Amino acid sequence: MIVKSPLKKHDIRPNLRKVPKPDAQTSPGSSQKKKRKAGRESSKIGIPKVKPWKVIVGSLIISALGLMYLTHVFSTQQSLREVQQLQAEYNRARAQYDELKLEYDRMVGPAEIYRKAEAQGFVNGGPAEQVIIIER
């Protein structure tokens, strides 16, 4: 015994393209309506008309934005120059500070203090770990 399955129906989307019916083409009134519709559709497909005042307003807005952008760029460059000038001034002041601090450290450092003490007649006590002997 042979068993056959029923045929499956596939879901098919409907045809969305409009196909003219044969009786509609023969009537004279329908051809005039189609010509009118075709004329309207062709005008909609073309480039939309732009009014001159919109072009003028658009160009003014774009030029104002461009002017604001250029002003911003120039002010940013001026700020950058000022920052670089301040950095150079800071570096000069820092170098001068380091030089003066080194000179100060040499003046108050141990070697300088020992030299001044010897010049005034003091005797070097040597290392602090020596044992001091007191005679009675």
Side-chain angles (χ1 to χ4, degrees):
M1 179 169 130
I2 300 175
V3 178
K4 293 183 179 180
S5 65
L7 296 175
K8 294 182 180 180
K9 292 183 179 179
H10 297 288
D11 293 331
I12 301 172
R13 295 189 304 182
N15 187 2
L16 299 177
R17 182 178 48 167
K18 294 183 180 179
V19 179
K21 295 180 181 178
D23 61 339
Q25 291 178 353
T26 58
S27 66
S30 65
S31 63
Q32 292 175 354
K33 290 180 184 177
K34 286 184 182 179
K35 288 180 184 177
R36 288 183 197 158
K37 287 183 181 177
R40 288 181 193 161
E41 289 176 5
S42 66
S43 66
K44 291 181 182 178
I45 293 174
I47 299 173
K49 294 181 181 177
V50 179
K51 296 184 179 180
W53 67 270
K54 289 183 179 179
V55 173
I56 293 171
V57 170
S59 63
L60 288 175
I61 290 172
I62 290 173
S63 63
L65 292 175
L67 182 65
M68 287 173 33
Y69 175 73
L70 289 176
T71 306
H72 171 71
V73 167
F74 285 122
S75 66
T76 303
Q77 288 178 347
Q78 179 64 29
S79 298
L80 177 64
R81 275 188 240 115
E82 290 174 5
V83 167
Q84 288 174 342
Q85 181 182 2
L86 290 173
Q87 282 179 342
E89 185 178 333
Y90 170 77
N91 289 336
R92 282 192 300 270
R94 182 70 184 188
Q96 184 181 8
Y97 168 79
D98 289 340
E99 184 180 328
L100 291 174
K101 179 148 177 47
L102 180 63
E103 186 179 337
Y104 173 77
D105 288 341
R106 286 182 182 161
M107 288 172 49
V108 296
E112 186 66 23
I113 292 174
Y114 283 128
R115 191 178 58 75
K116 288 180 181 178
E118 286 177 3
Q120 292 178 0
F122 290 94
V123 178
N124 187 0
E129 296 177 358
Q130 288 183 349
V131 179
I132 299 175
I133 300 171
I134 301 175
E135 296 178 5
R136 291 189 196 201

